[in-house]
Amino acid sequence: MTRKAGDEVNSGLFTSAVSRRAVLTGMAGLGGGAFLLRLSTLPAQAAAGGELQVMAWEGYDLTNELSDWRKANGVMVEATSIANQDDVQAKFVAGNPPPIDLAEYNQAYADLYIREMKIVNPIDMSKVPNYNADNLFGQFYDQPTWFADGQHWGSPYIWGFNTILFNADTLVKPTSYADLLDPSLKGKIAIMDDTVSSWPVAARVAGFGEKYPLLTKDELGKTFAEFSKYRAQARVIALNQGELVNLMVSGEVVAALCADPSIITQTDQQNMKIEMAIPKEGPILWVDAWFIPISADNIEAAHAFINQSLDPAVQAKVAMAVVQAPVSKKAVTLLDEKSRSRIDYDAMETMFAAGLPGIPPRASDTHATYDDWVAAWQEFKAGM
């Protein structure tokens, strides 16, 4: 496939001509991230204290686990939940951005945040000793998504995938996205309003998965024409994870496309047996990283926070809580058996071989642009 000037894909972990992930509506994101801190066993790298303002993904702010670190360091954490990536950059592109000290980006937004919008402060890695090759898997250590132009811009701390979630008491485990088109499921499935996972799934079910996000405008049209079959099956396009939890617990929905497995923790608490299925078309991989925004005013506490997020014990707790995976290889042995067996950590190189996808091109004479995808997605949702 020939790429022309302007068709550069903002990849994450690797720069690849073939990607499988897109940006959320209004340059939003998906997926999945979390924050969790505890008192470190390492010597303090700098004084951490005062108020720390954090933007974390919806359902990932594990407040109870922050208590030891907060008390030990005199830190007051004010957490803001984000539903999509657009919630983050919208804070910093307007005038007078708020003094948010930590926020997240997934791998698709590296170039957008660092080079185009310039909303990211570099991280002083001397204050983040847990970021080291001995602790992190090679797929996350000093890769271009986080380390570029001789500086660190982000600190990866959690990775995983969005996939099919289903009610194991009422539904046979799906093996393909197409299984959700069974007539018996009409009005009983949900689609997430999360283009970071929904767009690449739409491309896959239309037969363009290997080309995503570099589709022509004609292919984009065919993609949503095919995906409309799933819209016809759906009861709702769920706005957030909380809405999906309520729908599944009530029994109104028995399966969801490309959903975040973190909701399993919430449904377990309500005695609902929700499981995840990996369809033959594959799940949607992602990696989330912490970054220090340009308007941060508690830099020392932000660095201490980042360092704690990479502590192996903290990594294990985060991964188990959100049903995802740690970036720390030392954390794997600290996982419970169920969490450890969910992913084949010996196959990391294979899983990441194709790289992680970025966003559609911002401008192109050949391919459908980001704006084209946004328009198509809005039209798709309007058809519900």
Side-chain angles (χ1 to χ4, degrees):
M1 176 171 56
T2 301
R3 296 174 65 193
K4 295 183 178 181
D7 279 354
E8 291 78 14
V9 177
N10 292 324
S11 69
L13 196 56
F14 305 93
T15 299
S16 172
V18 179
S19 295
R20 297 193 303 272
R21 191 172 184 180
V23 64
L24 281 176
T25 301
M27 291 182 291
L30 90 38
F35 67 95
L36 174 65
L37 303 176
R38 71 178 180 84
L39 181 60
S40 175
T41 58
L42 293 171
Q45 299 300 306
E51 184 174 300
L52 187 69
Q53 295 194 40
V54 178
M55 293 192 72
W57 281 102
E58 179 189 6
Y60 282 72
D61 56 343
L62 308 180
T63 304
N64 291 337
E65 289 78 3
L66 291 172
S67 59
D68 285 347
W69 184 82
R70 291 200 307 266
K71 291 176 182 177
N73 293 279
V75 174
M76 296 172 290
V77 174
E78 181 180 335
T80 300
S81 182
I82 59 177
N84 60 62
Q85 196 72 44
D86 188 50
D87 291 343
V88 176
Q89 65 254 25
K91 295 285 188 181
F92 308 111
V93 296
N96 299 317
I100 294 171
D101 303 299
L102 281 169
E104 304 180 43
Y105 71 79
N106 67 60
Q107 85 284 337
Y109 301 90
D111 284 345
L112 183 67
Y113 281 19
I114 296 166
R115 295 186 176 87
E116 184 173 338
M117 292 185 170
K118 301 183 186 301
I119 61 174
V120 181
N121 270 325
I123 299 174
D124 181 353
M125 301 311 288
S126 70
K127 299 177 180 179
V128 189
N130 283 328
Y131 187 95
N132 62 74
D134 187 51
N135 185 27
L136 273 61
F137 285 103
Q139 287 75 18
F140 311 111
Y141 182 71
D142 282 5
Q143 295 293 345
T145 302
W146 310 288
F147 180 69
D149 304 325
Q151 292 182 303
H152 285 86
W153 302 98
S155 176
Y157 73 100
I158 197 76
W159 70 277
F161 43 78
N162 288 6
T163 188
I164 295 173
L165 299 184
F166 69 102
N167 185 327
D169 289 329
T170 61
L171 192 64
V172 175
K173 189 174 186 176
T175 60
S176 169
Y177 293 113
D179 291 345
L180 301 186
L181 294 178
D182 187 291
S184 66
L185 296 179
K186 187 173 179 62
K188 297 181 179 180
I189 72 170
I191 299 172
M192 292 303 300
D193 189 4
D194 175 4
T195 60
V196 120
S197 53
S198 295
W199 285 359
V201 168
R204 291 181 193 186
V205 300
F208 301 120
E210 292 303 314
K211 297 186 67 176
Y212 179 82
L214 298 179
L215 276 62
T216 65
K217 290 185 178 182
D218 180 64
E219 291 167 339
L220 176 61
K222 292 178 179 178
T223 290
F224 279 100
E226 183 66 22
F227 204 41
S228 65
K229 296 177 182 178
Y230 293 83
R231 182 184 62 195
Q233 284 283 94
R235 181 179 185 85
V236 66
I237 296 179
L239 295 177
N240 52 52
Q241 300 293 349
E243 181 180 11
L244 180 59
V245 169
N246 292 335
L247 289 167
M248 298 200 83
V249 170
S250 69
E252 296 174 76
V253 164
V254 298
L257 275 79
C258 43
D260 186 341
S262 67
I263 74 163
I264 292 175
T265 300
Q266 300 175 60
T267 55
D268 280 350
Q269 294 171 351
Q270 301 185 57
N271 299 315
M272 172 64 65
K273 188 179 180 182
I274 299 298
E275 295 183 2
M276 61 181 181
I278 306 300
K280 64 182 181 181
E281 299 89 350
I284 307 302
L285 286 169
W286 54 262
V287 181
D288 276 349
W290 293 114
F291 76 92
I292 300 175
I294 53 173
S295 56
D297 63 3
N298 196 345
I299 301 295
E300 297 301 338
H303 280 91
F305 180 109
I306 292 171
N307 187 58
Q308 296 288 359
S309 74
L310 295 176
D311 179 282
V314 172
Q315 282 276 298
K317 291 178 183 178
V318 172
M320 289 186 289
V322 299
V323 198
Q324 299 291 6
V327 300
S328 167
K329 53 191 173 185
K330 291 182 177 180
V332 175
T333 59
L334 303 178
L335 298 171
D336 58 37
E337 178 58 31
K338 183 177 181 181
S339 300
R340 189 166 53 250
S341 62
R342 188 179 297 120
I343 292 174
D344 183 0
Y345 289 95
D346 291 331
M348 291 279 288
E349 186 172 347
T350 299
M351 282 189 281
F352 286 84
L356 287 164
I359 65 175
R362 302 292 302 280
S364 176
D365 294 329
T366 306
H367 299 109
T369 65
Y370 157 79
D371 287 339
D372 294 329
W373 278 89
V374 169
W377 180 244
Q378 296 293 355
E379 183 178 352
F380 174 82
K381 292 193 296 181
M384 277 297 296

